[in-house]
Amino acid sequence: MTEKEMNEAKKKYLTRYKKSHLKWLSLCEQEKSIRAEIEGARSPEITDMPRAAGTADLSDWMVRLETILEKINAAKRENYGIRAEIEERIIDMDDGIQSRILWLRYIDFKEWNDICTRIGYSWNRTHELHSEALRNFPLEKTVQKRIE
């Protein structure tokens, strides 16, 4: 595997947390939407008129809510596991600037301009340090195979 391919594999490994985090946020938004629909649902009217097909009652909404809550909990556990694994590898790096760049980019999801400002380096130097950080980032062959 070339150095470029190795760095791409490391980036893929590091971006797993962002993808997992965004999935969790999406599920939380869906939960809010379902709760809003439940709160906005009218109480059923007692009538002798037939009800239209496809009209959901409150129990249908509660089942949807319970399903989404289970998915949220599973995504949250997965998200925390991925983050802890990546954090541990970043923390174990020898160079403080390199680990800070990786932390800001892949854990805090900062843009490059913000990273440059926070670490006090130019755009070019920040990217050079990011490349060095990727070269020094520990990624075992078992992890490489798992993310490919």
Side-chain angles (χ1 to χ4, degrees):
M1 185 178 264
T2 67
E3 184 178 326
K4 185 175 182 177
E5 291 171 335
M6 179 62 78
N7 281 353
E8 289 303 315
K10 290 176 181 183
K11 286 180 192 176
K12 187 175 181 179
Y13 173 80
L14 290 164
T15 56
R16 287 174 44 238
Y17 173 61
K18 185 173 186 176
K19 290 178 182 179
S20 174
H21 185 73
L22 291 174
K23 178 181 176 183
W24 174 73
L25 287 177
S26 174
L27 289 169
C28 290
E29 289 172 4
Q30 291 176 43
E31 176 199 4
K32 287 179 185 177
S33 175
I34 292 170
R35 288 187 186 279
E37 290 174 16
I38 290 171
E39 290 173 6
R42 294 186 348 211
S43 60
E45 297 177 18
I46 299 176
T47 179
D48 58 352
M49 297 298 292
R51 199 166 86 168
T55 304
D57 63 10
L58 195 54
S59 63
D60 293 336
W61 293 107
M62 297 309 290
V63 168
R64 286 183 58 204
L65 181 61
E66 183 64 31
T67 301
I68 200 78
L69 288 173
E70 289 172 4
K71 289 180 181 182
I72 287 171
N73 286 333
K76 190 175 185 180
R77 281 190 302 275
E78 178 185 7
N79 192 32
Y80 286 146
I82 291 170
R83 180 177 173 147
E85 183 180 310
I86 292 171
E87 281 178 339
E88 188 66 32
R89 291 175 189 276
I90 290 174
I91 289 168
D92 286 346
M93 293 182 68
D94 291 332
D95 189 297
I97 291 291
Q98 291 177 9
S99 64
R100 177 118 171 101
I101 291 170
L102 294 181
W103 180 274
L104 291 169
R105 184 70 179 165
Y106 299 105
I107 300 296
D108 281 349
F109 316 128
K110 299 298 181 197
E111 297 294 326
W112 286 113
N113 288 334
D114 194 25
I115 295 171
C116 293
T117 302
R118 287 179 182 230
I119 65 169
Y121 286 98
S122 70
W123 176 275
N124 289 337
R125 184 62 183 143
T126 299
H127 283 279
E128 289 171 2
L129 288 167
H130 177 256
S131 294
E132 289 176 28
L134 288 175
R135 275 193 300 276
N136 295 329
F137 184 76
L139 190 65
E140 294 88 23
K141 292 185 187 289
T142 55
V143 174
Q144 292 173 23
K145 289 179 183 179
R146 186 174 60 191
I147 60 173
E148 291 175 349

